[in-house]
Amino acid sequence: MTQEFRLPAGGRIDRSELLSFTFDGQTYIGYRGDTVASALLANGVHLVGRSFKYHRPRGIVSAGVEEPNALIDCNVTAAEKGTREANNRATFTELRQGLTTKSVNAFPNLNFDIGAINAVMARFIPAGFYYKSFLVSTTMWHRLIEPVIRRAAGLGVSDDVADISRYDAHYQHADVVIVGAGPTGLQAARTAAKSGARVILVEQDTECGGSLLRDPVEIDGMDADLWVATVEAELAQADNVRVMTRTTLSGIFDHNMLTALERVTDHLDIPEADGDLRPRMRWHRIRAKQVVLATGAFERPLVFRNNDLPGIMFASAVETYLQRYGVKTGEQGLFLINNDMALSAAIKAKEAGVEVTVVDVRSESTGPYTERLQAMGVPFFTNHTLVEAKGTKRVKGAVIAPMNGDGTAIAGELQTIECDFIGSSSGYNPIVHLHCQSGAKLDFDPATACFVPGAPVSATPTISAGGAKGLFSLNDALLSGADVAAQALDAIGLAHGEKTVVSASEEAHPGSLHIRHLWLLPSDKPTSKGGKFWVDFQNDVTAADLELAVRENFRSVEHIKRYTTLGMATDQGKTSNINALGILSDVLGVTIPDIGTTTFRPPYTPTTFGAIAGREPGDFLDVARTTPMHDWHVEHGALFEDVGQWKRAWYYPKPGETMHAAVDRECRAVRESLGILDASTLGKIIVKGPDAAEFLNRVYTNKWMKLGIGRCRYGLMLGEDGMIMDDGVSARVAEDEFLMTTTTGGAAGVLSHLEDYLQTEWTDLKVYLTSVTEQWAVASINGPKARDLLAELCEDVDLSPDAFKFMEWKDATVAGLPARIFRISFTGDLAFEINVPADKGMALWTALITAGAKYGITPYGTEAMHVLRAEKGFIIVGQDTDGSLNPYDMDMGWIVGKDKADFIGKRSLTRKDMSEPLRKQYVGILTEDPKEVLPEGAQLVNLTDAPTTAAPKEPVPMQGHVSSSYWSSAAGRSIALGLVKGGLARKGETLVVPMPDGRNVKVTLGDTVFVDAVGARQHG
Amino acid sequence: MLLIRCPYCEQERPEVEFSFAHQAHKPRPEEAGEPLDDHAWARWVYYQKNIKGVAHERWNHAGGCRKFFNVVRDTVTSEIIATYRSGETPPVEESRVEGEALSFDYEQAEG
Ligand SMILES: [Zn+2]
């Protein structure tokens, strides 16, 4: 409650606004402008989490998005259900009044964590533990290992209700997008702004300034604040520039399609008050001609024994907490560094009244910062290693020792230095994530011991500047910002005026890092003995784990990553990767560039799913296509089935009726009297032109040239590979016009397939294709009373069997509506498909229902349709076929026009393999017990191979599978269809279907037609 | 997400309007009147060049004019080097990146 570590003055926080918040149930106070992490540190709280695998106590290590340890769940009370968010970085979460937060990975609580038992068991959880555990018996995995791991591991807790927040999407175009509004990005924006280009400057932080927020250096003769404000004012004047703060550029995709997440209301005390229409976040998709990456650099830590104790953090983080938030990390600080730049933090700490010691791993330390520290009387140990950090829940001290010349071993007396925090720096890594996402490669710069951006990719051009390019001196960065903006403008042919050249005050920064890279600090014991050397905090990967992986012969860094889990989870190795590569390079004896890096993938930082979904969750996720009669189906209690994007009535249960009973009732109605199906969803394509018949002749297997006007024909469509791809009935409307129907789900694919051939192969054919699927509504009436009903509503057509034959169609007036009647049948019963213009669909449907009442007209859905067609053995493409079955396999050789000159698939059908007798072939399957309905997908095996136990040790050779299976009242028993090796010649043979419950169900193969084998009904 | 210029609409449009069809310039052998043996036919049906480098591809402006057209694309960088109408001669030849053979050796692959 006291903020005892808050400095009396300074920082960018607003001391007039006190905010209270909770962390693990305890209430704390901070200021507006704080992050949760800075407010916790102000209150002396360092222990904020437990590690993923060993449940080690972990503290805040950074002051930014790269934080691996300080993960918190936000909005954690019951009253905030629907807004909870897991795994936020406390170092990046803005404080607001009343914010509730909770640590992750701690059970039962942070201070007494039962999972720390894992730490005692550490030697049993080495690298590759998960993979090795998979190799033990599955029983042991399921019963023992997995439950234990699940209980102890895992990060934050997600909400168990839907997200109630609102999110928006925003699309933008820009000439130049500049990522990062630090000194480099600001200078780039100024230059770009003057050209008149459309410029967007994106900054993830709450305000512009970048490193100046931590280290406010005088620029252009102004103090940092004034300089930033001046530039901001200049940009605000330019109406071609948009500056977006609190916005993270998360991804770069092909041709510079950028995604950016803008946090709009999270930082407000009342995030979404009534009437406040602002979304919680906006998801921006920006198409940019050029992208300037001024994303800066991350500091990386040195790796030493017990380097994960709370209180050990990045040197730059110590500096940020002091300068930006006015918070002292502790009273006694030890700075462990290997470069000049990091000493800035030690100076700031000393100036703030902290007791400071510097341990410099370099043999010499001579830069301007060193001189200042020595002048301030700070104890300075050069060529020293940190042997081991001491403490349990907070660092209490450090054992240091002199090193030998090459820094591989200690060479001298150990001594212990008391401290309550350690600021560590092993150098800096340019933030190259976005550069790499664009597809560009990295180069290794030995002078600064880091990867820097390589040449950009021409299709997705980005240019890096400043720290992101490996320029760590402020003056270099300022120059490069303006240079790179000019370069970007040149690339898109926009003239730029004079570059604005500014410089920072002379003594501000050392000219270069003077880095000495020691990837692993020498200690008195090897890495495998005593305390651990942590490389990846978030995944608990140690130096010993990496060494073990190499001993087990892992070589590729991508493999080592997966084996050890290095660089996974929410921080994606932002702080750990280079250290790991350095250690691997020492162990493998190869250079870092030869090891290479792992892949950088979007998003740059974790992104809320809700923001990506925007306004399109739930029903808005995808288009729902409904038929003109849809509302009737809804009113009459239909359940729906998705077929492609269509909502099709599945079945119409009466109150209390099971699915089985409803489907059975619907099927019986069709066979005994009258049923009606909404068939509007079938694909319908007009094929028109002088060569329409020739075209159909080439795309279907059978003959079409002589089909008379007014007649219909079933067609089977193959791919070039000879396999069935679609089927349907086409009608000849005129000499030069056909109406083709396709399967509901196949319509779009068939149209595209046909267009491809017309436009690219058969350009001489004069044919046009037009999709009319949605122009027609179709009611299909089926059953013995179908003609009686239609006769009542249609007076201008003679419906008698001789006048209107099966497979004919006629123009007609039905219920006063203009219609086309097709006498075709997918049920094998007497059937008429009545097509009317779509807007007349509901009128037709209700007229049929009303007039059909006397026949007990029963609406039936797709499930009954499937049963009825199965009773007749009619195939459903995609259910009974799977893209590997040809017409002969389906016993449909009768539809193949062998003497036709050509059709798609013809040549493939002549291949020897296509008529191989042991191919899977289409057969009927009857169970020994007529009441047993087989599960679809069930496998068939030979009688002699029938397994004797539920889980046979040896695999049994499969003979085939069940593709369709139903109860059929018309057949008085269960029926099934399936594909069986050589099945056509095996009718009458008995096979066995082993069931999941261990039973062997005997079945007999037979014909595929179960009802009305002679086909009398449909011709009736 | 790619930006593709449709040579019929004569506009650069986003990738979501298009669908990839298949390798370009792969006419049906039967059309050319060359009867192929089973082996050669199977190659035509089942094998694609799968170029790492500059490739000729056929795309469809499915959400636009519905025309099929050809694209010269660098499959490594996804750069669209050119687009042209069906039936036109490719303005840029195919090429594989260094170290990759220009044409796939089917015989070797089939052992
Ligand atoms: Zn087009």
Side-chain angles (χ1 to χ4, degrees), chain A residues 130-142 145:
Chain A
Y130 294 88
Y131 300 98
K132 285 165 181 162
S133 302
F134 281 125
L135 296 179
V136 303
S137 80
T138 49
T139 316
M140 186 160 154
W141 176 262
H142 286 303
I145 299 172

Side-chain angles (χ1 to χ4, degrees), chain A residues 5 46 309-313 328-334 354-355 390 393-398 417-423:
Chain A
F5 289 89
H46 276 257
L309 285 173
I312 301 177
M313 57 171 73
K328 277 192 296 189
T329 301
E331 304 294 353
Q332 288 175 296
L334 183 148
V354 175
E355 199 181 300
K390 294 284 190 192
K393 287 174 191 162
R394 176 78 185 265
V395 64
K396 288 203 180 90
I417 295 177
E418 254 183 53
C419 61
D420 60 2
F421 74 89
I422 296 176

Side-chain angles (χ1 to χ4, degrees), chain A residues 287 458 720 755 759 907, chain B residues 1 28 36 66 68 79:
Chain A
R287 183 72 76 167
S458 59
E720 286 289 6
E755 285 282 12
Q759 292 180 32
R907 176 64 184 81
Chain B
M1 189 168 67
R28 296 180 81 219
L36 298 181
R66 261 173 47 194
F68 285 81
E79 180 173 359

Side-chain angles (χ1 to χ4, degrees), chain B residues 6 27 35-36 46 49 53 64 80 82 86 100 102-103 107:
Chain B
C6 171
L36 298 181
Y46 294 109
K49 285 187 191 168
I80 308 281
S86 294
E100 305 260 335
L102 179 62
S103 59
E107 298 299 337

Side-chain angles (χ1 to χ4, degrees), chain B residues 6-11 13 17-18 61 64-67 69:
Chain B
C6 171
Y8 294 96
C9 297
E10 300 186 328
Q11 274 190 29
R13 310 290 303 167
E17 288 186 11
F18 299 86
H61 196 181
C65 64
R66 261 173 47 194
K67 285 284 192 185
F69 60 95

